[in-house]
Every structure is written in C-alpha cells, then in structure tokens.
Amino acid sequence: MIPSPAIIVPSMRPVEIIGGGLSGLSLGLALRRAAIPVTLHEAGTYPRHRVCGEFIAGLDPATVAKLGLEPFLSDVLRHTEVAWFQRDSLQRRQTLPAPAFAIGRHVLDQRLATAFIAAGGDLRTRSRIDLKGSPPGRIFAQGRRATTGSPWLGLKCHARGLTLSGPLELHLGEHAYVGLCELPDGQVNVSGLFRQRSGLALDRATALPAYLRAAGLDALAFRLASADIDADSRCAVAGLAFGRAPQSNAVSSAPRRLVLGDAFALIPPFTGNGMAMAFQSAALALDPLIAWSHGDAGWPATVAKIDCLVRARFRMRLAASSLLHPALLRPLGQRALTSTARRNLLPLNPLYHILH
Ligand SMILES: Cc1cc2nc3c(=O)[nH]c(=O)nc-3n(C[C@H](O)[C@H](O)[C@H](O)COP(=O)(O)OP(=O)(O)OC[C@H]3O[C@@H](n4cnc5c(N)ncnc54)[C@H](O)[C@@H]3O)c2cc1C
C-alpha cells in the first residue's frame, strides 16, 4: 500500500537519489512504499529513449517482489530463444535457461517515474547534481561514467517491418555486436556496441547503418534500410568505460559513497545484464537504507554494508564478463566461440548462470 505524504513520520531521515534510471527509480519507489521521504534528481526528462538492448535477462523473482516491480512488467514479452549470427550467417539457436523480459526503456522508465510521483516521491527532472559532495543519505545512481578516450560507441533505434529469425537476434561483427529484440508494441529494438572508427559518418540517421557495414554486417544493414525507423528513437552513447568505477575512497578502507547500478560497475552488454543488476543493487540497498532512515544505523556503516552486499552479488559475473567480452568482439574469439557452440561444446547454461 502506498502511504500518503500526511503519514510520513517526521523523524525519518530523508534520502536523496542522484539519477532516475532503473536503479534510482526502483529504489526511490520502494523507499516511498516504506514511507521514507525521497527526493530524486534526474538530469533528463521522461519519457526518453536510451541506448539499451531492452531485454532483461536474469531478473530473479525475489528482486521483482522486493521492489514491487510486477505491475510494471505485466505486459512485457518473454523471450525464450536467441538466434546467434556471425557476420550475417545464422550459427545457432539457443534456448535461454529463463525467459528474458523485453520492454522499451522509454515505457519502463516512464512507468516507474509516474509511480514514484504517485507514491509521494519528489521527482526533480532537468536537475543535474554536482557529484562532488557526499552527505549522509545521498545515493549515487547516475549511471555509467563518461570516459574520454574510450573506444566504445553504443547506437540504437526502433524499427517496424523487420522480420526476425526469432524474438531475439544477436549478431557478432568485426569489433561489434548488435542485438535485435522484439518489443511489446510490435517494434524491434536494434542496438549495438561498436569500436569507434575514424572517418565514419556520425549523424543520427547514418551512424548505425555505417557502423553495421563497417563491422561486416551488410545483410543486417540492408534489412534495416528497408524497415520503417522511428526517427525519435535514434540515440547514441560514447565514452563507455566497462568494469568497476574507481573508488573515491581509495585512502580509506570504508566506502564513503553509496553507488548503485551502472555507477557501481558497468558490465559489458550481452555478456552481462546491466538492467537486472540495476534492480538487484536497488533491492540489496533497500533494507539497510530503511534502517538508516529510522535511525537504527549510522551512514558509514550503512554504506559499508550495502557496498559489501553489492560486491558479493556481482563479483563473479563482472569477472566472467570481463573475460568473455573481448572474445565476443574479436574475429578469432568469435570463430572459437561459434565453432564450439555449433558443436555443442560450449557450456552455455553454466555460462549463463555465472553471468546472471
Ligand atoms: C549498447 C548497450 C546495450 C545495452 N543493452 C542492455 C540489455 O539488453 N539488457 C540489459 O540488461 N542491459 C543493457 N545495457 C545496460 C543497461 O542499459 C544499464 O545497465 C542500465 O540502464 C543501468 O541502469 P542505471 O539506473 O544504473 O543507470 P541509467 O539507466 O543510465 O540511469 C542513470 C540516470 O542518471 C541520470 N544522471 C546522470 N548524471 C546525473 C547527475 N549528475 N544528476 C542527475 N541525474 C544524473 C541520467 O540522466 C540517467 O537517467 C546496455 C547498455 C549499452 C551501452
């Protein structure tokens, strides 16, 4: 049940969240359900498109229940099969150990934002907060950090009229991979990670086709050219730095900042499941934050506890993903992966469980 602002206990310590993506919004909403006062600052607005594959793999029922996410996921598509392509050639169809939820981010984020406001949350959009200060009660959920010099570029668009070989297609190209995901509204999300190439066109309309061709994915570029692209959905993100964010508390053994979601660690897409991790980190933070807000714990101890829980939960998958990711992008690694997968020698299910 959602408490009305009138019954907020005045002695509860307020929480401030920086970043209204999946981690910030789901945590803010769950805290409001516990009657905690929450202010959430989001630099952008809703709804908006984000570069994302838009399929959520490995989201466990316990996290869904803890954060009360059922109503937001009731109409997702549940994809159970992936068709793997290398250089435009179908290599293998894989049944996923558990269904992946498919839903557009501009729908999902908007739903969570609306629910957060309805629950009495104070949502401030177009509010970009300086990340330097770290007062008690501040949570850093501002997503991936931008790094100059990173070679990685993410591109995406929604398309109609694309015929798929299955509800999910994953394409491996030269220093690139691309996912096609059927969405509930009949559109297909096309999103990819590419190593940047100098001399390629970079305007909104031409970047994705140009990068597909440069990666040797000509057939996919051709399919996209004959589809109906939603022009507003075209977006790009550059400067992606994968792995753990450098700790601001290097001189002390105790963490000083509470960081969640991509702000904690950016796992490479397709080897990992950043959306599930955003929700899972929010779920892990919930009870310690409620205890802190009630005055039952101090802030440094709360930050240290959550940091410990989040690290323990993601340690294995971050390590496995950092090993697998380079192989997915290099021709030699791709050939080795696809040939072992074709001969059924790749332990796909154990790999899936480590990564999710
Ligand atoms: C190419 C690509 C494909 C991907 N595909 C998938 C996929 O298919 N499945 C999957 O599970 N994951 C995927 N991911 C990862 C997934 O998108 C992220 O892991 C997820 O969005 C993380 O959520 P978050 O809440 O931590 O951050 P975000 O969703 O990035 O939200 C952070 C928010 O903070 C705001 N913000 C930033 N700075 C400030 C500031 N100073 N003040 C106020 N607000 C601020 C931003 O505007 C943003 O809205 C993909 C990522 C990429 C790059």
Side-chain angles (χ1 to χ4, degrees):
M1 197 180 72
I2 295 168
S4 87
I7 59 162
I8 288 174
V9 180
S11 62
M12 279 190 190
R13 295 164 168 165
V15 166
E16 178 193 46
I17 301 174
I18 302 179
L22 299 182
S23 53
L25 285 169
S26 61
L27 176 63
L29 179 58
L31 287 168
R32 281 302 307 136
R33 289 194 175 119
I36 313 281
V38 185
T39 303
L40 195 158
H41 296 273
E42 166 51 43
T45 56
Y46 305 96
R48 82 170 192 264
H49 286 281
R50 297 170 189 262
V51 177
C52 187
E54 303 190 326
F55 61 94
I56 314 176
L59 182 58
D60 51 304
T63 299
V64 172
K66 181 99 190 160
L67 296 173
L69 296 175
E70 296 92 342
F72 311 106
L73 301 173
S74 59
D75 58 347
V76 295
L77 296 183
R78 288 160 202 269
H79 297 329
T80 52
E81 194 188 78
V82 187
W84 286 91
F85 292 75
Q86 192 197 3
R87 296 292 188 104
D88 287 334
S89 142
L90 178 62
Q91 301 292 322
R92 189 191 151 110
R93 291 177 194 280
Q94 180 199 351
T95 302
L96 291 171
F101 302 152
I103 181 166
R105 287 294 299 270
H106 70 307
V107 174
L108 182 57
D109 293 38
Q110 167 81 76
R111 281 181 185 173
L112 289 167
T114 304
F116 174 68
I117 295 168
D122 179 2
L123 178 61
R124 304 187 187 173
T125 53
R126 298 184 206 281
S127 174
R128 182 173 288 279
I129 299 296
D130 185 335
L131 302 176
K132 282 193 192 114
S134 181
R138 176 174 281 186
I139 294 154
F140 293 84
Q142 77 278 6
R144 52 192 164 243
R145 73 208 130 97
T147 312
T148 49
S150 154
W152 302 114
L153 174 72
L155 296 168
K156 98 141 191 197
C157 71
H158 284 184
R160 276 189 199 283
L162 261 182
T163 309
L164 299 181
S165 301
L168 269 178
E169 288 184 9
L170 292 181
H171 294 253
L172 303 178
E174 191 189 324
H175 300 299
Y177 47 74
V178 181
L180 274 64
C181 174
E182 190 186 335
L183 297 174
D185 62 1
Q187 301 202 55
V188 172
N189 179 46
V190 182
S191 101
L193 185 77
F194 303 87
R195 184 176 277 274
Q196 289 196 45
R197 294 168 192 260
S198 53
L200 272 192
L202 267 184
D203 71 64
R204 272 163 62 96
T206 54
L208 184 53
Y211 267 93
L212 289 175
R213 284 196 203 90
L217 302 175
D218 295 277
L220 182 52
F222 182 75
R223 285 165 69 197
L224 201 59
S226 48
D228 179 11
I229 309 291
D230 173 355
D232 290 339
S233 69
R234 288 190 178 111
C235 48
V237 60
L240 298 165
F242 295 114
R244 285 285 314 271
Q247 287 298 289
S248 59
N249 38 282
V251 287
S252 137
S253 58
R256 279 186 281 125
R257 288 173 168 240
L258 179 42
V259 284
L260 301 177
D262 279 4
F264 171 81
L266 181 62
I267 195 159
F270 304 160
T271 55
N273 55 348
M275 289 198 276
M277 287 172 70
F279 287 131
Q280 286 160 350
S281 63
L284 290 171
L286 183 59
D287 288 340
L289 283 171
I290 292 173
W292 172 78
S293 178
H294 287 187
D296 296 338
W299 186 246
T302 302
V303 175
K305 182 171 186 176
I306 296 169
D307 188 66
C308 188
L309 290 170
V310 171
R311 276 171 199 247
R313 178 90 190 241
F314 299 142
R315 186 175 293 124
M316 276 290 281
R317 75 177 91 162
L318 286 168
S321 167
S322 70
L323 292 175
L324 192 58
H325 186 237
L328 267 178
L329 284 155
R330 294 199 185 107
L332 198 63
Q334 290 177 354
R335 275 200 294 276
L337 272 176
T338 47
S339 91
T340 43
R342 259 202 319 266
R343 286 182 282 149
N344 277 333
L345 296 176
L346 195 67
L348 283 170
N349 282 7
L351 211 53
Y352 177 94
H353 287 296
I354 292 172
L355 290 166
H356 297 85

